[in-house]
Amino acid sequence: MPRINYIDIMEKNHMEIPWHEYTNKDSKVKIENASLTEKSSIIGRIGLMLLACGTGAWRVRSSMNTIASELNITCIADIGLTNISYTCIDGIESHAQSLSLHNTSVNTSKLARMEDFVYHFKDECKTCTCNEIHNQLDQIESIHSSYSPIILGLAAALACSCFTFLLGGGPIEMLCAFVGAGLGNALRMKLIKHNYTLFLNVAASVSLACLVYALLFNFLETYFGISTQHGYICSMLFIIPGFPFITSGIDLAKLDLRSGLERLAYAIIIILAATLTAWICALVLHLQPVDFVKLHIPTSTKLLLRLLTSFGGVFGFSIMFNSSKKIAASAGCIGAIANTLRLTLVDLSLPAAAAAFIGALAAGLLASMIKGNTGYPRIAITVPSIVIMVPGLYMYRAIYNLELTSTLYIGANWLIQSLLIVLALPMGLIFARILTDPSFRYCT
């Protein structure tokens, strides 16, 4: 009987790329005079690192083209969610490679460093050797999360509790969502840190968030006589994949169909895993999504609270994306204005999708103004500012009601509303980009 070689469960399925082996460490040849293989390694690694930050295909390709132009070669790239296939051409010589990530995530701090590296490449790197440039990229690649799982848990807690108010919840629902989301996202970050698979970290974190919310809610109801409505859905909204949702729309608008469709599929996978997990938790814990009790707040007070909670929600989501505090605060200011505008338009009976489009458009225009003064990556401040507009509550209610054969019509209604809003959000950002960015306006 032939011997079967089993793979160790801890063995990496994606082998690491030995970037420094593309060049002689003792070589003094500057990168602009290096071989095509060495130049290609720099271009490919920069593209892969940008892709690992969660940015879209258009930005990755633009950065690779910038470096290729500085090195006097031509680069043609096909970019997906976790893969880059590219060819570098220098006269009659060409070099093709296919690179792959083992996972995808969002890291706006690293993205800002990478964009700064690309912007200053001409002045700071063209006189360096290939090995020296790889050393610089090693330092940037070593940037992981700037925050501990506890801080990221608190960021999710802040975001989801603010989200709860914006959806109509009161102080009790906000408190329960704060605790549930905080513990749920802290667990999720721990599992991601130890490289657990996507489905496991989604299911485990959503289950914990819903369980903690339900237990705390029942505790307050039993021992303090508090009677209100369940808002357990709000405790799991930290899992909504706003970044891939929005970047997929931007990629599709630029006809980067491979990247756009792959990002959309990735977002849908997370949504399905999260909502199905929450539905099972609802059955086990005897929970049911219902409307919040209407809060009777004066208009001026409601406006102020919406501004504050929109800022807090966006700030929390930005920290979850590993943004610096300055970038998170900038995104929070944009989100406070744009989301409050959206909610005010909804109060004036404008359809939710139209209001979402206008809110996203306002966020994109404000981000363009801030980028001109700060230099922050546009995507690092636009996407967090409209993630709070992603209809996670609608998505969950759609799945919940579709699972109940007696409420198929209600589920279909929630699903259609959520799809219209999800389509409207990237459209708003796209048109803001078209209006303010000439390089994005044309198909070149």
Side-chain angles (χ1 to χ4, degrees), residues 172-186:
I172 301 303
E173 293 91 343
M174 292 175 68
L175 172 63
C176 295
F178 184 93
V179 178
L183 292 175
N185 197 50

Side-chain angles (χ1 to χ4, degrees), residues 132-356:
E132 288 171 342
I133 295 174
H134 277 303
N135 286 333
Q136 294 183 44
L137 294 175
D138 285 342
Q139 294 178 2
I140 299 176
E141 199 163 30
S142 65
I143 300 174
H144 298 294
S145 177
S146 302
Y147 308 101
S148 67
I150 294 176
I151 297 299
L152 293 173
L154 289 173
L158 173 64
C160 290
S161 62
C162 291
F163 217 146
T164 303
F165 174 80
L166 295 170
L167 291 170
I172 301 303
E173 293 91 343
M174 292 175 68
L175 172 63
C176 295
F178 184 93
V179 178
L183 292 175
N185 197 50
L187 173 63
R188 175 170 165 259
M189 291 299 103
K190 277 285 189 182
L191 295 176
I192 290 175
K193 185 177 180 180
H194 292 287
N195 296 316
Y196 284 97
T197 188
L198 176 68
F199 281 88
L200 176 59
N201 73 60
V202 169
S205 58
V206 168
S207 298
L208 179 61
C210 291
L211 177 62
V212 170
Y213 186 105
L215 291 175
L216 181 57
F217 187 90
N218 290 334
F219 173 81
L220 294 174
E221 192 174 38
T222 302
Y223 293 98
F224 293 91
I226 295 171
S227 180
T228 184
Q229 298 291 348
H230 260 300
Y232 67 96
I233 304 170
C234 298
S235 66
M236 54 162 279
L237 294 179
F238 63 86
I239 207 72
I240 299 301
F243 225 93
F245 255 137
I246 304 305
T247 53
S248 70
I250 295 173
D251 281 344
L252 290 173
K254 295 297 291 184
L255 295 183
D256 278 310
L257 298 183
R258 176 189 172 191
S259 177
L261 293 174
E262 288 182 11
R263 288 174 187 278
L264 181 60
Y266 173 73
I268 291 173
I269 288 171
I270 295 177
I271 291 294
L272 290 176
T275 52
L276 287 173
T277 300
W279 175 69
I280 293 172
C281 290
L283 293 180
V284 173
L285 300 172
H286 304 290
L287 305 176
Q288 184 177 358
V290 292
D291 293 330
F292 289 112
V293 176
K294 186 174 179 61
L295 300 174
H296 298 285
I297 304 175
T299 303
S300 58
T301 304
K302 181 187 290 187
L303 181 64
L304 178 60
L305 290 175
R306 280 178 172 177
L307 286 168
L308 292 174
T309 52
S310 294
F311 176 88
V314 173
F315 183 87
F317 278 120
S318 296
I319 295 298
M320 288 169 60
F321 296 148
N322 201 42
S323 298
S324 67
K325 295 180 179 65
K326 289 183 178 180
I327 293 179
S330 298
C333 291
I334 293 173
I337 297 171
N339 192 52
T340 302
L341 172 63
R342 176 185 71 91
L343 293 173
T344 302
L345 292 174
V346 172
D347 288 344
L348 296 174
S349 300
L350 191 70

Side-chain angles (χ1 to χ4, degrees), residues 350-361:
L350 191 70
F357 174 84
I358 294 173
L361 178 66

